[in-house]
Amino acid sequence: MYRCRDCGYASLQWFGRCPQCGRWDTFTEFSEKRAGAQTISTPQALPEIPLEETQRCPTQIAEFDRVIGGGLIPGSVLLVGGEPGIGKSTLLLQVAAQLAQHGPVLYISGEESPGQIKLRAERLAIKETNNLLIVHEQNLSAIRDHVLQTRASAVIIDSIQTVFPEGEGVGLGTTYQVGQATFELSQLARAQKIPIFLIGHITKSGEFAGPKAIEHLVDIALYIEGGRESDVRIVRAVKDRFGSTEEIGVFQMTESGLVEIANPSKFFTERIGPVPPGSVIVPTLEGTRPILVEIQALVAFTRSNYPQRRATGLDLNRVALLLAVIEKHLGAQISGEDIYVNVAGGLTLRETAIDLGVAAAVVSSFKERPIDGQTVVVGELGLSGEVRRVKKLRERLTEAAKLGYKRAVVPAGEKFDMMGMEICAVRTIREAMEALGV
Ligand code: TYD
Ligand code: MG
């Protein structure tokens, strides 16, 4: 048979151009042993199927365990994706060191030499143990042998893009290669009842197949996110076959590896000295987790015909819309001003519940009136200047109360008591700015 090196399309006939992916000169000959129907499966009635208890083994890295639903499930495959340099190898070497306390852990690198990994381990001050085994290997059948011989209780593959599956003529970094390697490794995980971690690089060019191409094959898919200027790293689950994908883990990349940020709200809102104009604390929601963050705005007069509009950690289109709402419904003449809006600490916020906070920051900077440092602001803004309700308001305010905030400006509609906190319900952007004194 012939198979396309890129997409894996197989046919008895040779093609100059692959009918599936359209690439030229990718067809190579291969032979396949016909396996036939080996296992005879029998359908079972639902009540006859025993409930399988899933035992989770925690990694003892709390922020990581939170994202994977409490701990690792034997036989599962976890994908850890992220851009090159974000900290995938660092995180997984730290996880490997934790797991090595309970049994042999095999770290298979197709990218770095054992010497390089040793250097990283030194930097991370990892407790050296004979249970942490490192090997440089790219060949899948050799990887399988290593896993069986070492009786590894957990395996890390760094990265899936460097694993050669069986069969000749498979192009490295192609969709077919990563798919086939993932499929075979997940069978190995199931057979050995061990967790296998796959690192996957996100590449900007479409040339290489990234982690997206194998998300459907794995049990849990995580991504490490973080800005170039920031040392904050968010681990986010986008898929979890065993639980929710709502949780995030927050880390900071330091000189000695990733350090958990156990109290992100405190971390993202730490302010020194008096509160300047343009700074607002917003209780945002990351998955199901309320996190307080500081939004900063700088509004400065410019003589330019083209005033600047910049946003870091926020969607610039949304900011533009909010600026229009401010101009129209508060009558603030901000169109001739340079406006910069920024989420402190390097987080990226996607929800509309922060609208009112962004608007308050802009107005506060424009009028050069600071907003009280004990107040939090939350609410979505509609085009007619109305403040709309947000989900999980109670959870957001509970987090704010926990950190000692005394007052909250929130959308009108829900009635409840918050111990020790003054709730200020507003209907419009105008009411909100009055309540905030800006
Ligand atoms: P790395 O884990 O190699 O990234 P990836 O595997 O995702 O490509 O880490 C990348 C960056 O992290 C690198 O620029 C160096 C930095 N780093 C630290 O700041 N502190 C550390 O302790 C380590 C190990 C790396
Ligand atoms: Mg790496």
Side-chain angles (χ1 to χ4, degrees):
M1 288 178 82
Y2 298 93
R3 185 162 58 202
C4 170
R5 257 194 316 247
D6 266 28
C7 68
Y9 180 86
S11 119
L12 283 172
Q13 192 189 339
W14 187 88
F15 289 101
R17 182 179 186 205
C18 174
Q20 184 164 287
C21 68
R23 302 224 173 166
W24 291 92
D25 277 337
T26 55
F27 267 70
T28 36
E29 198 176 344
F30 77 104
S31 57
E32 192 173 41
K33 291 175 224 90
R34 285 257 154 229
Q38 281 175 327
T39 44
I40 300 161
S41 43
T42 15
Q44 272 177 293
L46 194 52
E48 283 168 18
I49 302 171
L51 253 186
E52 276 176 32
E53 275 199 33
T54 45
Q55 279 192 340
R56 290 175 185 269
C57 164
T59 65
Q60 307 296 346
I61 300 177
E63 287 292 305
F64 188 72
D65 287 337
R66 167 198 287 278
V67 188
I68 59 174
L72 295 164
I73 291 177
S76 63
V77 178
L78 295 92
L79 169 67
V80 178
E83 284 176 14
I86 199 84
K88 301 179 294 297
S89 304
T90 305
L91 177 66
L92 287 188
L93 191 57
Q94 288 178 280
V95 169
Q98 288 293 336
L99 297 176
Q101 293 177 8
H102 311 292
V105 176
L106 187 56
Y107 192 109
I108 300 163
S109 179
E111 303 189 343
E112 293 163 310
S113 67
Q116 282 168 305
I117 296 167
K118 170 95 178 178
L119 274 180
R120 183 177 289 126
E122 292 269 287
R123 210 173 153 185
L124 302 175
I126 276 171
K127 207 163 60 188
E128 300 215 342
T129 148
N130 289 339
N131 266 345
L132 188 47
L133 300 154
I134 315 285
V135 63
H136 176 87
E137 186 55 68
Q138 298 191 323
N139 184 294
L140 188 56
S141 47
I143 289 175
R144 188 180 292 122
D145 288 346
H146 287 316
V147 172
L148 298 181
Q149 268 161 27
T150 55
R151 299 167 167 272
S153 58
V155 175
I156 286 126
I157 308 279
D158 188 358
S159 66
I160 190 67
Q161 277 113 337
T162 61
V163 176
F164 279 107
E166 260 112 294
E168 326 85 64
V170 179
L172 213 51
T174 61
T175 313
Y176 177 74
Q177 176 250 317
V178 292
Q180 191 63 22
T182 304
F183 174 71
E184 288 181 34
L185 285 165
S186 62
Q187 286 192 319
L188 182 64
R190 264 169 213 127
Q192 297 304 112
K193 297 193 172 54
I194 54 170
I196 295 188
F197 295 85
L198 309 177
I199 289 179
H201 292 295
I202 297 176
T203 44
K204 291 239 157 64
S205 73
E207 268 301 292
F208 293 96
K212 277 263 166 286
I214 47 171
E215 265 177 22
H216 65 288
L217 293 170
V218 302
D219 299 302
I220 296 181
L222 313 173
Y223 284 87
I224 309 182
E225 302 171 357
R228 232 164 261 291
E229 313 79 25
S230 158
D231 53 8
V232 174
R233 298 287 179 266
I234 308 286
V235 181
R236 193 186 297 275
V238 300
K239 171 184 179 180
D240 188 344
R241 228 170 238 167
F242 313 107
S244 93
T245 56
E246 300 269 272
E247 292 290 353
I248 62 156
V250 188
F251 294 87
Q252 187 175 20
M253 181 62 95
T254 69
E255 274 306 299
S256 50
L258 288 161
V259 176
E260 300 174 58
I261 300 178
N263 190 342
S265 291
K266 189 154 169 282
F267 181 85
F268 290 117
T269 54
E270 236 148 41
R271 299 192 278 198
I272 321 148
V275 181
S279 162
V280 174
I281 302 297
V282 175
T284 182
L285 211 59
E286 280 286 353
T288 53
R289 187 176 188 183
I291 296 180
L292 300 190
V293 293
E294 182 194 0
I295 291 178
Q296 301 172 330
L298 180 67
V299 180
F301 180 73
T302 173
R303 288 182 197 289
S304 158
N305 286 334
Y306 301 99
Q308 298 280 343
R309 297 285 183 266
R310 294 275 165 79
T312 313
L314 295 165
D315 175 20
L316 190 56
N317 289 325
R318 188 78 194 167
V319 171
L321 181 151
L322 297 176
L323 296 179
V325 172
I326 292 171
E327 183 119 30
K328 181 90 179 168
H329 296 283
L330 294 176
Q333 297 292 317
I334 53 172
S335 54
E337 313 269 335
D338 282 342
I339 299 176
Y340 304 89
V341 198
N342 176 20
V343 180
L347 274 186
T348 298
L349 305 182
R350 297 178 179 89
E351 56 160 5
T352 50
I354 61 167
D355 286 354
L356 192 58
V358 175
V362 170
V363 175
S364 161
S365 174
F366 177 61
K367 299 203 170 166
E368 290 186 29
R369 284 187 214 149
I371 288 172
D372 166 46
Q374 301 286 303
T375 302
V376 297
V377 183
V378 64
E380 182 184 321
L381 273 178
L383 290 182
S384 48
E386 81 276 20
V387 176
R388 314 182 75 127
R389 286 164 64 167
V390 301
K391 61 177 180 187
K392 298 199 187 245
L393 183 59
R394 184 181 296 276
E395 284 86 342
R396 296 175 200 258
L397 296 186
T398 307
E399 178 76 1
K402 230 190 279 172
L403 275 108
Y405 288 84
K406 297 277 180 271
R407 192 159 176 260
V409 174
V410 305
E414 269 174 272
K415 279 220 165 51
F416 55 80
D417 269 344
M418 222 45 213
M419 290 290 279
M421 199 183 226
E422 182 198 338
I423 307 285
C424 204
V426 294
R427 279 185 187 78
T428 62
I429 183 170
R430 188 173 281 278
E431 277 181 35
M433 296 308 143
E434 272 163 21
L436 291 165
V438 292

